[in-house]
Amino acid sequence: MDIERKWQKKWEKAEIFQANPHGDKKLFLTVAYPYPSGAMHIGHGRTYTVPDVYARFKRMQGYNVLFPMAWHVTGAPVIGIARRIQRRDPWTLKVYQKVHKVPPKELEKFTDPEYIVEYFSKEYKRIMKAMGYSIDWRREFKTTDPQYQKFIAWQIKKLKKRGLIRKGEHPVKYCPECENPVGDHDLLEGEGVAINQLTILKFKLRDSYLVAATFRPETIFGVTNLWLNPKEKYIEVKVDGEKWIISEKSYKNLSQQKKDMKFVEEVNPEELVGSNVKNPMTGEEHPILPAYFVDPEYGTGIVFSVPAHAPADYIALQDLKKDRKLQKKYKLENIERIKPVNVITTEGYGECPACETIEKFKIKNQKDPRLDDATNELYKIEHAKGKMSQHIPEYSDKPVAEAREEIAEHLKSEGKADEIFDFAEHPVICRCGSRCIVKIMENQWFIKYSDKEWKNLTLKCLNSLKIIPEEVKANFEYYIEWLDDWACARRIGLGTPLPWDPKWIIEPLSDSTIYMSYYTIAPHLKRLPANDLNDKFFDKIFLGQDNKLKIDEKLANKISNEFNYWYPLDWRLSAKDLIGNHLTFHLFHHSAIFPPSKWPKGIVVFGMGLLEGKKMSSSKGNVVLLSDAIEAHGADVVRLFLMSSAEPWQDFDWREKEVIGTKRRLEWFREFGDKISNMIGSKRLSVSKTPEPSSFIGKWMMARINLRIREATKALEGFQTRRAVQEAFFLLRKDVDHYMKRIGDHVDEEVKDVLRYLLSVWIRLMAPFIPHTAEEMWEKYGGDGFVSEAPWPKLHEEFISLEVQRAEEIVQDTIKDIMEIKKILNIAPEKVHVYVAPDWKWRVLEMAYDMDKPDIGALMGRAISEGIHDDKKELVDFIKRILKDTLRGEYPGRVDEYRILSDAKDYIEKEVNAEIIIHEDAEYDPEGKAKNAIPYKPAIYLE
RNA sequence: GCGGGGGUGCCCGAGCUGGCCAAAGGGGACAGGCUUAGGACCUGUUGGCGUAGGCCUACCAGGGUUCGAAUCCCUGCCCCCGCACCA
């Protein structure tokens, strides 16, 4: 732990992560800046470690790397949090005490939203430093800085000038008590509940209308009656000169959507029951009937009944038919005569799909909880596969999905229908305790992502960049296509006011689309008065316009040059769930504001974090704080674990047990360093000198080291951190273990050279992942300067010889074969005879590889004609054998098996615990085993 | 519903441009070494069968292409994620 702090201080003092323009190999990467409303947990740890690892890797490769960080403090959540803290809301207090571990003294100050973000951004910064991130902190800013606000104002004005901003209205979740729109985090109940658009159909009753809300306007042709709940209160309201009858409970919601809606009087639902209303489509008369399943809060509290297609309607009708008392009470007659009317034909269903569904689900009455499932199932099937039935005028044979739209449009245009919004589920309750409603926000500002031309430009931008992983590209395409106009301003929260309509605050996703460019100039702007940073200034800096500025021209040129040096952004990293908004906006805005040469060049998308297999969630307390993890295991362990347990775009799972396993492996690495340095003496690591061993195993080790360099480098280039760690650590470790076993105690100069080289390479390969440990070892074993600035291990492709690796495989396979035979025979032989394949077998093999499609006949023919081997029986047996399983893949080339095995003789003897006799000719072969030898697979005889 | 991604050995997870895949790596379990019995560490085993290095059964289920499929195609079942004004 002290080691980690020590190196963090040294880095800071040496300013090695401060990036200034120089040289032409630059790399600029950013990761989504945090919204500091809570403590940093291990999920965040992964998010910020990935870019750090990549930044460190690229720095070692000689790039001038810029990795900056800032704080996204714009938005509403902290306002709500502060309010709840002030109110001493027990749930909020508990979360902040127990989950975010805020000390009581600090928590007291959390009634100020600004303080919350200040507290947590400090905390974040502290932990980011403790994690060893190679961030250039000079560029730090927060999104409420006056200079940044100037930048945001410039950006949004730019869009407005391009005609990409418009005004309109928009439905939102709204708390009438707080008089504010509410987000999911503001809710006590009803998180994630969607807002649905419903069609309302007007059924005329005398001089007023009963308005029924529905998702399925197309079923209007199958209406048999209307339902209302006689236990609830109903009222008459005036809308646009019309009289509507709705439930009292729906009034609150609807009155926020129909601005001129006025309460007129209460209506007794009991008196309505039994009267007839007129169908707006067909003009038929339908009776109003009582039903208790009708939810007065949902829609309008009035439902029209389509018993053929709605299970609830059907069962309610059945219930009513059985209930003589109720019929009598409301003087209902001819109830029996009401029959379901089919309107939709769906394959697999008959005249009355609702009846069939009721039977399938075995539903007894309208109080059955399974009724929802039944309704849902039928709804989905009919929507997906249903067609309007033959007898329906104008719409017959039309798919339901189409007919639905057309019918609603048609009725609306005739004034017989309207639309409203409602929550998909009730209730939705604000943290203040009151029920939320859907409110139509008027005069809302929108960014016009629906603009066709803009979409095309953005698609072009998308096609010009690299996306990791590639699969999510389809996702981007989909979102660009699908994205509609975005409400880009809010009435509450921290942020930048809209320049032309300052009572609106620019919404947080809209103010973080091109801010990466801001990092490139942030250090300078900090020292300039915000008022001097007008639009002309940004036009000059970012777009190269030749403007007269309030600030010194030389300085402005310098700033502009720095922007041009760093931009475009090479990599943007962000989470998977932000593809649909932030990342897509990022592309939209860049394409609208910057020329193609400044468009982003790459995007990396992250997965989520799991904790012991369960989804992490701060609000549920299911998190491990990053600071606790560092405390318990050390930053390098946390880093290594996070990087090795999953690729960035996959979900990772924090399992304490495996974290501890990672810790042990890291300790092993440190100890291994000591072990090696003891073996080779305390000489300097050989960074530039590459050994050239002459022994097989030495060559093999060099091949493996370089193979790992190659693979780890390739993996890191593609942000495959897990793969890189596998190669650079686990697999290399396996190779090294093997090498150590192979050399036994023969430590000669060659071995020392190889080990010195190995250690030097290995520390550097691991440095991006475990920078503190790597620095410590680098220093200890005599590396030059910081390992963070050391050159990335150079790949010597020439060492990666297939032949050398194949040779070692022969040794290993031979041992394995001997062991297997020993096991089967259950004997402990004194001597093991090993026979290598004779020359003629190699020649036949080469011949076989030479042919396009080797078969027995052709091979035999050629072998005989060339007189390769006299014994035809042996020849044909061998050919059969190699045709069966040897001829696969690429021919690795002929190897000198005798030399290889002789070279490894001592080792093999130790492994199999018997004397090894290697035969080039089968001069001693009592059981005739030698004939089994084939290339790469010597014959074996135990005695 | 729309869109995206998946189903691999006890668990996690690689492989999935077809052959060297009974399938990397980790975890767990078992056995042995070490040690004061423990912890840590090291070694080995971890689908079945087998008296000569082999055979059989396996990568959700079913079908197909191929000399050959975990890998390609079709069908079905199941799972996960996003769908907005929320960072």
Side-chain angles (χ1 to χ4, degrees):
Chain A
M1 207 72 65
D2 286 338
I3 289 176
E4 296 185 345
R5 221 160 293 138
K6 173 177 115 193
W7 287 104
Q8 285 154 16
K9 276 191 196 140
K10 286 195 179 198
W11 292 330
E12 204 168 331
K13 211 172 149 211
E15 303 184 344
I16 59 173
F17 303 133
Q18 297 190 2
N20 296 310
H22 71 83
D24 50 5
K25 263 174 95 179
K26 70 93 187 176
L27 188 115
F28 179 26
L29 82 166
T30 67
V31 57
Y33 47 16
Y35 183 75
S37 66
M40 211 175 171
H41 59 69
I42 47 179
H44 302 114
R46 198 266 287 271
T47 304
Y48 299 105
T49 304
V50 173
D52 185 59
V53 166
Y54 190 77
R56 286 174 171 278
F57 161 61
K58 282 284 152 183
R59 218 173 268 123
M60 289 175 77
Q61 277 189 333
Y63 283 86
N64 186 19
V65 175
L66 174 55
F67 175 32
M69 190 57 62
W71 314 109
H72 193 202
V73 304
T74 318
V78 280
I79 307 264
I81 294 163
R83 222 169 19 218
R84 272 176 257 136
I85 300 264
Q86 180 137 44
R87 217 190 288 134
R88 317 288 312 156
D89 173 62
W91 182 82
T92 309
L93 288 173
K94 201 180 130 208
V95 167
Y96 277 82
Q97 278 163 355
K98 297 270 157 62
V99 182
H100 298 297
K101 300 191 179 164
V102 180
K105 256 209 168 136
E106 295 288 343
L107 196 58
E108 277 171 26
K109 301 182 215 158
F110 272 31
T111 50
D112 174 10
E114 302 261 6
Y115 188 78
I116 299 178
V117 283
E118 195 189 314
Y119 173 84
F120 282 117
S121 51
K122 269 195 194 137
E123 192 60 14
Y124 258 73
K125 187 172 176 181
R126 182 179 70 78
I127 297 167
M128 285 177 167
K129 284 185 171 177
M131 282 292 280
Y133 295 154
S134 57
I135 292 168
D136 181 353
W137 285 108
R138 295 172 306 161
R139 294 164 193 273
E140 175 188 8
F141 63 85
K142 57 182 197 295
T143 53
T144 47
D145 289 346
Q147 291 90 340
Y148 185 82
Q149 297 202 337
K150 286 286 188 180
F151 164 70
I152 293 304
W154 168 77
Q155 178 204 335
I156 198 102
K157 276 191 259 179
K158 209 90 209 150
L159 294 178
K160 189 147 188 275
K161 261 189 214 148
R162 301 255 155 104
L164 297 172
I165 305 281
R166 72 163 175 91
K167 218 173 189 183
E169 53 181 43
H170 187 68
V172 293
K173 281 181 194 167
Y174 187 85
C175 171
E177 205 55 46
C178 310
E179 297 188 328
N180 263 317
V182 287
D184 272 346
H185 44 264
D186 298 320
L187 298 178
L188 211 56
E189 217 177 304
E191 248 180 277
V193 167
I195 294 175
N196 290 327
Q197 189 177 32
L198 295 154
T199 304
I200 55 177
L201 300 175
K202 304 177 189 171
F203 291 80
K204 191 154 193 177
L205 173 73
R206 292 185 288 273
D207 63 338
S208 56
Y209 295 96
L210 267 79
V211 293
T214 182
F215 277 117
R216 310 183 62 182
E218 78 282 6
T219 57
I220 185 72
F221 294 100
V223 176
T224 58
N225 61 283
L226 249 54
W227 297 118
L228 48 73
N229 194 333
K231 282 190 177 158
E232 296 292 334
K233 286 186 181 161
Y234 284 80
I235 58 171
E236 186 180 288
V237 295
K238 217 163 183 179
V239 182
D240 250 344
E242 285 177 359
K243 286 190 215 159
W244 289 9
I245 291 169
I246 58 173
S247 69
E248 190 193 30
K249 282 185 179 156
S250 69
Y251 176 69
K252 234 182 180 179
N253 185 29
L254 296 179
S255 60
Q256 289 290 338
Q257 298 180 27
K258 303 286 165 213
K259 39 192 154 171
D260 56 354
M261 183 178 277
K262 282 196 190 71
F263 174 81
V264 179
E265 59 178 353
E266 275 197 32
V267 181
N268 183 359
E270 313 247 332
E271 284 170 16
L272 293 173
V273 173
S275 347
N276 280 338
V277 294
K278 199 172 144 199
N279 184 313
M281 189 79 186
T282 63
E284 286 170 89
E285 300 268 319
H286 307 299
I288 302 171
L289 301 176
Y292 301 108
F293 75 89
V294 175
D295 178 356
E297 247 186 285
Y298 193 71
T300 57
I302 294 169
V303 190
F304 65 77
S305 168
V306 189
H309 300 285
D313 295 340
Y314 179 78
I315 199 84
L317 203 56
Q318 293 300 106
D319 286 357
L320 185 60
K321 283 179 185 175
K322 281 183 231 152
D323 196 336
R324 298 268 168 216
K325 251 196 224 156
L326 206 61
Q327 291 181 24
K328 219 178 209 169
K329 181 175 169 193
Y330 293 109
K331 302 194 186 67
L332 302 174
E333 285 161 22
N334 299 329
I335 295 294
E336 265 74 35
R337 276 202 230 147
I338 300 179
K339 292 272 177 316
V341 179
N342 171 284
V343 270
I344 295 164
T345 307
T346 308
E347 217 187 295
Y349 288 91
E351 279 295 294
C352 179
C355 326
E356 292 169 32
T357 308
I358 291 279
E359 259 169 56
K360 185 181 155 194
F361 280 80
K362 299 195 173 63
I363 289 166
K364 296 275 168 339
N365 57 52
Q366 55 185 305
K367 285 176 186 128
D368 197 315
R370 290 171 55 76
L371 194 53
D372 277 348
D373 295 336
T375 302
N376 239 323
E377 181 182 290
L378 188 60
Y379 176 87
K380 278 183 183 166
I381 289 176
E382 293 196 324
H383 174 76
K385 297 182 183 158
K387 288 199 166 108
M388 300 306 286
S389 297
Q390 288 296 328
H391 64 88
I392 310 289
E394 283 180 63
Y395 298 99
S396 72
D397 248 8
K398 270 215 163 111
V400 165
E402 262 175 59
R404 181 173 297 172
E405 298 260 322
E406 287 176 24
I407 290 167
E409 276 317 306
H410 170 77
L411 289 173
K412 266 188 231 169
S413 70
E414 294 196 335
K416 292 174 178 170
D418 207 327
E419 62 177 38
I420 58 163
F421 297 93
D422 200 353
F423 297 124
E425 281 167 49
H426 280 275
V428 172
I429 299 176
C430 177
R431 286 213 183 279
C432 77
S434 47
R435 290 186 171 229
C436 297
I437 51 148
V438 179
K439 182 181 169 78
I440 309 269
M441 296 294 279
E442 289 170 38
N443 299 320
Q444 171 65 265
W445 291 97
F446 290 87
I447 298 180
K448 282 162 73 178
Y449 293 126
S450 62
D451 188 280
K452 261 259 142 314
E453 254 176 70
W454 197 8
K455 276 187 199 290
N456 285 337
L457 200 61
T458 306
L459 277 171
K460 232 181 180 174
C461 175
L462 174 72
N463 285 323
S464 72
L465 52 74
K466 273 178 272 176
I467 293 184
I468 293 178
E470 254 171 66
E471 300 92 82
V472 302
K473 188 170 175 182
N475 246 317
F476 275 98
E477 279 166 8
Y478 172 78
Y479 278 116
I480 291 172
E481 199 45 55
W482 164 85
L483 209 61
D484 203 357
D485 292 352
W486 180 268
C488 63
R490 319 203 43 183
R491 303 308 286 265
I492 51 161
L494 305 176
T496 307
L498 265 184
W500 60 85
D501 191 359
K503 63 177 181 290
W504 289 92
I505 306 279
I506 297 169
E507 170 276 333
L509 283 165
S510 307
D511 84 349
S512 47
T513 56
I514 59 164
Y515 73 93
M516 311 81 203
S517 60
Y518 191 85
Y519 283 123
T520 66
I521 59 171
H524 297 291
L525 297 212
K526 267 181 204 170
R527 292 191 286 271
L528 293 171
N531 277 338
D532 291 354
L533 307 178
N534 51 21
D535 295 346
K536 281 187 176 165
F537 171 80
F538 290 108
D539 280 339
K540 176 178 173 75
I541 301 297
F542 291 134
L543 304 173
Q545 290 180 15
D546 192 16
N547 292 331
K548 230 169 149 47
L549 302 181
K550 284 188 180 171
I551 66 159
D552 177 58
E553 195 181 322
K554 259 197 196 152
L555 179 61
N557 285 334
K558 185 172 158 43
I559 296 174
S560 186
N561 286 342
E562 291 201 15
F563 163 73
N564 283 305
Y565 175 81
W566 291 113
Y567 237 57
L569 180 68
D570 294 282
W571 290 105
R572 172 68 183 171
L573 290 79
S574 203
K576 195 154 61 176
D577 53 334
L578 293 174
I579 295 174
N581 45 52
H582 165 258
L583 283 171
T584 303
F585 294 179
H586 175 234
L587 302 183
F588 264 100
H589 289 231
H590 269 88
S591 70
I593 292 174
F594 291 108
S597 62
K598 292 282 190 275
W599 287 356
K601 289 169 73 180
I603 286 179
V604 183
V605 171
F606 286 125
M608 303 279 147
L610 302 177
L611 181 54
E612 307 290 343
K614 276 189 238 118
K615 204 174 166 174
M616 267 197 280
S617 154
S618 295
S619 59
K620 293 193 181 100
N622 189 44
V623 287
V624 170
L625 293 192
L626 193 52
S627 55
D628 290 344
I630 298 172
E631 187 81 20
H633 310 287
D636 279 350
V637 171
V638 175
R639 292 172 65 108
L640 187 59
F641 176 81
L642 290 172
M643 292 304 95
S644 65
S645 68
E647 300 295 3
W649 47 90
Q650 297 172 327
D651 295 346
F652 76 93
D653 191 358
W654 181 271
R655 297 186 179 220
E656 196 68 23
K657 258 189 178 160
E658 300 200 16
V659 177
I660 289 167
T662 305
K663 194 175 187 171
R664 275 191 234 127
R665 248 158 260 132
L666 196 58
E667 276 159 17
W668 175 91
F669 187 55
R670 268 188 226 118
E671 284 163 20
F672 179 79
D674 287 341
K675 189 173 151 196
I676 297 278
S677 87
N678 286 339
M679 281 170 77
I680 60 183
S682 56
K683 284 192 193 150
R684 297 185 72 74
L685 297 166
S686 55
V687 177
S688 49
K689 214 181 108 221
T690 311
E692 278 168 26
S694 55
S695 73
F696 262 117
I697 197 63
K699 281 183 184 159
W700 178 84
M701 191 66 237
M702 291 303 288
R704 301 303 273 193
I705 294 171
N706 278 283
L707 180 73
R708 299 311 174 199
I709 294 175
R710 186 177 74 191
E711 296 305 313
T713 307
K714 207 159 78 189
L716 271 178
E717 293 285 1
F719 285 89
Q720 299 181 58
T721 59
R722 178 190 154 88
R723 174 119 204 226
V725 173
Q726 289 280 334
E727 293 287 344
F729 190 71
F730 294 92
L731 296 176
L732 183 54
R733 180 184 159 173
K734 241 185 100 181
D735 296 337
V736 171
D737 280 346
H738 181 66
Y739 178 67
M740 300 302 268
K741 204 162 137 194
R742 265 309 239 106
I743 58 173
D745 8 283
H746 305 291
V747 182
D748 54 16
E749 279 310 309
E750 178 191 298
V751 169
K752 287 184 183 176
D753 277 349
V754 170
L755 290 178
R756 205 173 289 131
Y757 170 76
L758 165 73
L759 192 58
S760 145
V761 167
W762 211 354
I763 293 171
R764 283 178 290 150
L765 281 182
M766 293 306 292
F769 304 100
I770 47 168
H772 312 92
T773 306
E775 290 287 7
E776 188 69 14
M777 291 173 75
W778 189 249
E779 182 187 57
K780 199 165 168 187
Y781 307 128
D784 280 327
F786 289 109
V787 75
S788 302
E789 293 187 305
W792 186 249
K794 187 175 182 308
L795 170 64
H796 294 278
E797 191 87 46
E798 68 275 16
F799 279 113
I800 309 176
S801 143
L802 205 63
E803 231 182 290
V804 166
Q805 296 184 69
R806 195 67 212 245
E808 188 55 24
E809 272 172 40
I810 292 173
V811 173
Q812 290 311 312
D813 289 348
T814 304
I815 292 171
K816 234 166 83 191
D817 283 347
I818 296 170
M819 296 305 279
E820 197 173 335
I821 299 166
K822 269 176 72 175
K823 195 184 120 200
I824 298 164
L825 298 180
N826 198 18
I827 54 166
E830 271 173 35
K831 290 180 183 168
V832 175
H833 298 267
V834 176
Y835 308 88
V836 300
D839 178 62
W840 67 265
K841 289 190 177 174
W842 284 97
R843 287 173 62 198
V844 175
L845 187 71
E846 270 157 24
M847 212 177 265
Y849 269 109
D850 216 35
M851 292 184 189
D852 280 343
K853 269 208 146 193
D855 64 77
I856 296 183
L859 258 174
M860 271 306 271
R862 243 182 96 177
I864 290 167
S865 74
E866 291 188 21
I868 284 178
H869 191 59
D870 295 338
D871 189 329
K872 303 235 169 60
K873 172 84 172 65
E874 271 188 357
L875 188 59
V876 81
D877 283 348
F878 174 69
I879 289 173
K880 271 187 197 156
R881 181 80 205 270
I882 59 169
L883 284 180
K884 204 172 131 212
D885 57 19
T886 312
L887 290 172
R888 282 172 184 165
E890 202 188 329
Y891 180 50
R894 182 160 179 176
V895 294
D896 186 344
E897 291 183 318
Y898 185 76
R899 243 192 80 208
I900 290 161
L901 290 168
S902 304
D903 188 78
K905 186 166 169 262
D906 291 351
Y907 167 69
I908 301 174
E909 286 183 336
K910 219 164 86 197
E911 288 295 304
V912 305
N913 198 20
E915 188 191 339
I916 300 292
I917 302 120
I918 302 159
H919 302 267
E920 218 163 352
D921 313 299
E923 73 283 353
Y924 176 79
D925 182 19
E927 286 190 28
K929 297 290 184 194
K931 66 174 190 308
N932 290 333
I934 59 173
Y936 311 117
K937 197 170 174 63
I940 294 161
Y941 170 55
L942 311 191
E943 75 172 352

